Amino acid sequence: MKPIVLCCSFVAALAIGIEAQSNNYPDIREVMIRMRDGVRLQTMVVAPTEPEGLFPFTLDRGPYGLPPRQQVTGSAIGCYRVFQNIRGRFRSEGEFVMLRPPCRPNQPKCVDETTDAWDTVDWLAKNLANNTGRAAITGGSYDGWTAVMAGLDPHPAVKAIIEEASPADMFLGDDFHHNGAFRLSYGFDYTVLVEMSRTANSFFQFDRPDMYDWFLALGTLANVNERYFHDRLPTWNNFTRHPNYDRYWKEQAVAPYLNAVKVPTLNIAGWWDPEDFYGPMTIYGALEQHDTAHRNYLIAGPWNHGSWRGKARHLGMIDFGSDTAQYYARNLSGPWLNHWLRRGGELFMAGANVFETGANRWMRYDSWPPKEGTRVSRLYLASRRRLSFDASKSPAGYDEYVSDPASPVPYLRRPIKPTFQDYTKPVIEPTAWPNWLVQDQRFLAGRPDVLSWTTEPLSTNLHVVGNVAAELFASTTGTDSDWVVKLIDAYPEDNSDTNMRGFELIIASDIFRARFRNSFEHPEPVPSNKPLKYVIDLHSTAHCFRKGHRIVVQVQSSWFPLYDRNPQKWIPNIFEARQTDYSKATQRIYRGGNEPSSIIMQVLQVL
Ligand code: PG9
């Protein structure tokens, strides 16, 4: 949720005609830029550090406020850097609409993030002194999404777009839901962040230290409006009114709008991004289908929601052997941006640049997932909690557990802090949110409602490079259920890096809400006690399970309070469930025979 800063390194000039706000920062000006409907948007222009020359400009548009002046002063090396608050945020006029859907063709007076970007670029191209008329739209997350929107009808000055971790679909895979399962603590905290006040970012004052306790004590989802929001936060109201994949969600989902690569686009994704990993991978994939001129690029690295900025040799406890953020800036995004904004000529960059964790190396592919050099491998759940690549080693059977909504499985080691912290105030202990996906999963050891299946220590390295999915055969005694599947790399007890001995690292994971097994638009009750097949997309990865490591598959039915509790009893709209609707259920995971649960992985072919 922070604006992302990119700079280009070119030659010099001065911004003129824009009112200076402070003598302490003579290179920074603030201006209200008028959109086509008269609404004015608060905009910060950071002038190039060089006194003379011709400069391109970058534009970053988002809802979180302009960056602190001390952070950006002197940082516009060889280009102008421009930041803008979108409508209805801070001093920007107009109304804030969460992920404002793009205008339809028959709405000539309509405004959206595409028209606002166009109008802003137009103004900048006409008013920044000595600009080259070449611009890039850049930004991370929400600002990445506005960059993608700018690309739907780009101003002719826009020569490049860098979207870093833009969401693509808030019902299927990004911040607010995954496969229809609602992201409770995130959705709650984020709605407060941007909709409690229009002139500030807001942080809810929780009256308990552990979010697990707080959200459990909250009880039903209806209590959020009854006790706290009182129908005042539009996005929360939309969560409660749109529990299925209806027009509200589809209108803001980007893939259907991406019918051409109108501007060279660089998509950035972090393998362990807890907010928007689905987004950039989906946007890249959608654009790739139309990329006849090879102007669509992907960079995926060992990052959380933004750690490609700054230093990134480590993420949590995991050591990647080199600073992957430095490599990203020097060898990938920097040259890419320079090419489109300044240099022209040949660009020596592969279509897909991915960091393979475990092997700790950058790999170059023509596209992602790789079309050649891999094969599909299945890892089967077997008896005695084993995993086997050999289906015949898995006689028919099942393993079972009781899922109790009164005692859901925590997604993080407790106590769990609020998702966001106010970084403008001193932070005593940082939230674990950014790195929760790389937390050692041994904190769940001993929970009877988390089942694990394990391979023997691997005899050779296994490179999983590409798509991963779970084919789960499962039944419940209830009439609805959640299925969480995690693919884990279990480090050996005698690992050379002593910090990582026995560590259990999630490599791929997701949740699936069973009511949506046939349709996200029209959910249905789950027939009790009947084994059903669920294909759960675990997305793609590039990871080497090293010789001596074991592969673990874990299944559970809650991930709390990140995801709301499934009542495990069919309720048409879970936002209207009563306390008494939340019931225990016995869950069975089947293996072998006609119900051979397995993980399907694209793996590097060993020649
Ligand atoms: N992941 C955040 C977000 C983007 C768009 C909508 C809602 C949330 C962000 O970091 O901006």
Side-chain angles (χ1 to χ4, degrees):
M1 57 157 267
K2 282 187 194 161
I4 286 172
V5 173
L6 275 167
C7 37
C8 5
S9 44
F10 319 130
V11 215
L14 274 178
I16 50 165
I18 305 170
E19 186 196 342
Q21 293 262 311
S22 157
N23 287 336
N24 291 339
Y25 304 104
D27 56 336
I28 296 178
R29 309 284 185 274
E30 231 179 88
V31 60
M32 299 295 286
I33 299 182
R34 194 175 296 278
M35 303 293 107
R36 62 190 66 184
D37 62 347
V39 162
R40 294 176 318 149
L41 301 186
Q42 185 190 8
T43 309
M44 171 191 271
V45 178
V46 187
T49 47
E50 299 82 350
E52 280 175 9
L54 287 173
F55 305 99
F57 58 93
T58 63
L59 171 63
D60 184 315
R61 309 183 58 250
Y64 306 119
L66 301 176
R69 282 160 180 262
Q70 63 274 23
Q71 189 183 305
V72 289
T73 193
S75 71
I77 302 159
C79 67
Y80 286 98
R81 298 178 59 209
V82 183
F83 302 91
Q84 185 175 68
N85 284 323
I86 60 174
R87 287 170 185 255
R89 295 291 293 150
F90 296 81
R91 290 206 302 118
S92 283
E93 298 166 356
E95 187 199 356
F96 172 70
V97 175
M98 180 75 75
L99 300 172
R100 182 185 288 270
C103 298
R104 279 179 245 124
N106 54 356
Q107 298 175 300
K109 293 236 162 90
C110 170
V111 290
D112 59 14
E113 302 303 351
T114 310
T115 64
D116 284 351
W118 204 101
D119 294 351
T120 305
V121 170
D122 197 54
W123 189 95
L124 293 167
K126 288 174 181 155
N127 289 278
L128 295 182
N130 300 334
N131 82 81
T132 56
R134 298 180 76 81
I137 315 272
T138 63
S141 208
Y142 204 121
D143 306 38
W145 182 82
T146 61
V148 175
M149 291 295 119
L152 300 186
D153 176 22
H155 187 284
V158 176
K159 306 298 179 201
I161 288 177
I162 301 186
E163 67 88 358
E164 299 166 293
S166 163
D169 192 309
M170 287 291 183
F171 196 80
L172 298 184
D174 290 306
D175 300 88
F176 297 147
H177 302 78
H178 278 209
N179 295 312
F182 176 55
R183 309 237 303 171
L184 171 61
S185 52
Y186 186 91
F188 183 100
D189 290 11
Y190 190 82
T191 313
V192 170
L193 182 81
V194 293
E195 289 185 350
M196 198 59 106
S197 153
R198 68 169 281 152
T199 54
N201 294 321
S202 304
F203 302 86
F204 191 82
Q205 297 308 308
F206 292 97
D207 54 10
R208 291 174 187 244
D210 186 350
M211 295 303 103
Y212 184 96
D213 286 335
W214 194 91
F215 281 100
L216 204 54
L218 171 70
T220 67
L221 297 177
N223 286 335
V224 170
N225 261 334
E226 252 161 53
R227 293 185 194 161
Y228 304 109
F229 293 175
H230 310 296
D231 291 331
R232 287 203 320 261
L233 303 190
T235 294
W236 185 268
N237 293 342
N238 282 322
F239 293 152
T240 69
R241 289 175 197 147
H242 301 280
N244 305 323
Y245 196 40
D246 61 12
R247 192 167 143 183
Y248 172 77
W249 297 110
K250 287 183 185 178
E251 272 188 340
Q252 52 169 263
V254 298
Y257 301 105
L258 302 175
N259 52 16
V261 186
K262 294 179 180 156
V263 172
T265 302
L266 181 58
N267 307 277
I268 314 301
W271 295 130
W272 288 285
D273 183 337
E275 299 180 31
D276 305 296
F277 171 69
Y278 175 91
M281 302 308 270
T282 302
I283 293 165
Y284 164 79
L287 287 175
E288 194 62 7
Q289 290 176 25
H290 307 282
D291 188 27
T292 43
H294 301 296
R295 298 191 308 170
N296 181 41
Y297 295 82
L298 175 72
I299 301 173
W303 304 313
N304 63 21
H305 194 54
S307 58
W308 49 85
R309 284 166 259 150
K311 291 199 184 307
R313 174 171 172 156
H314 297 91
L315 189 66
M317 300 286 288
I318 324 301
D319 183 352
F320 304 111
S322 62
D323 185 347
T324 60
Q326 190 182 70
Y327 184 91
Y328 163 78
R330 285 196 185 157
N331 300 48
L332 299 173
S333 66
W336 189 91
L337 189 61
N338 272 337
H339 173 80
W340 298 108
L341 279 189
R342 188 154 186 257
R343 272 206 295 267
E346 197 86 21
L347 174 65
F348 296 102
M349 192 164 128
N353 303 271
V354 303
F355 187 83
E356 185 183 329
T357 54
N360 291 349
R361 57 182 184 180
W362 284 99
M363 301 294 286
R364 296 154 56 91
Y365 296 97
D366 290 342
S367 61
W368 186 260
K371 292 204 177 81
E372 287 161 8
T374 64
R375 63 185 169 83
V376 171
S377 177
R378 273 184 190 257
L379 188 55
Y380 294 92
L381 271 56
S383 52
R384 291 178 290 108
R385 300 291 183 80
R386 292 287 173 201
L387 287 173
S388 173
F389 286 103
D390 181 353
S392 67
K393 295 232 169 85
S394 184
Y398 59 82
D399 296 293
E400 70 176 22
Y401 58 96
V402 173
S403 166
D404 183 359
S407 173
V409 180
Y411 80 99
L412 255 174
R413 180 194 291 280
R414 298 175 60 189
I416 300 173
K417 292 195 176 323
T419 314
F420 303 121
Q421 278 168 329
D422 185 351
Y423 290 102
T424 61
K425 303 206 171 114
V427 171
I428 292 154
E429 207 188 318
T431 168
W433 169 254
N435 289 350
W436 80 265
L437 276 169
V438 290
Q439 188 192 209
D440 188 350
Q441 294 300 300
R442 282 178 299 182
F443 82 100
L444 294 173
R447 271 199 80 116
D449 50 358
V450 179
L451 296 193
S452 299
W453 295 260
T454 310
T455 61
E456 294 297 328
L458 298 176
S459 54
T460 53
N461 289 348
L462 179 78
H463 300 265
V464 179
V465 176
N467 288 331
V468 184
E471 206 171 81
L472 199 69
F473 292 85
S475 71
T476 175
T477 54
T479 46
D480 192 8
S481 184
D482 286 350
W483 305 112
V484 175
V485 181
K486 304 178 213 163
L487 177 68
I488 290 171
D489 183 344
Y491 285 60
E493 296 292 338
D494 60 353
N495 195 61
S496 54
D497 174 355
T498 49
N499 289 325
M500 295 298 290
R501 289 196 167 159
F503 198 95
E504 293 184 2
L505 172 66
I506 295 182
I507 301 303
S509 61
D510 218 338
I511 186 169
F512 194 91
R513 189 147 281 186
R515 57 176 49 217
F516 295 115
R517 70 195 180 284
N518 291 324
S519 156
F520 286 109
E521 290 85 352
H522 306 291
E524 296 159 57
V526 175
S528 311
N529 300 311
K530 194 171 164 196
L532 297 172
K533 178 167 133 178
Y534 299 89
V535 179
I536 305 175
D537 185 2
L538 301 183
H539 316 289
S540 64
T541 189
H543 180 73
C544 173
F545 289 88
R546 295 193 78 91
K547 181 179 171 187
H549 289 218
R550 289 172 301 122
I551 303 177
V552 176
V553 172
Q554 247 173 30
V555 176
Q556 60 200 49
S557 287
S558 47
W559 239 358
F560 190 75
L562 174 53
Y563 291 90
D564 68 325
R565 294 169 302 149
N566 191 317
Q568 307 189 143
K569 171 182 165 190
W570 169 256
I571 308 290
N573 181 354
I574 294 178
F575 285 90
E576 292 167 10
R578 293 160 303 169
Q579 190 72 36
T580 50
D581 292 327
Y582 289 80
S583 331
K584 279 188 194 177
T586 301
Q587 318 286 65
R588 284 186 179 170
I589 309 298
Y590 295 80
R591 45 182 159 74
N594 294 327
E595 282 113 15
S597 296
S598 67
I599 301 291
I600 309 163
M601 305 179 286
Q602 209 175 331
V603 301
L604 269 196
Q605 234 154 1
V606 182
L607 299 173

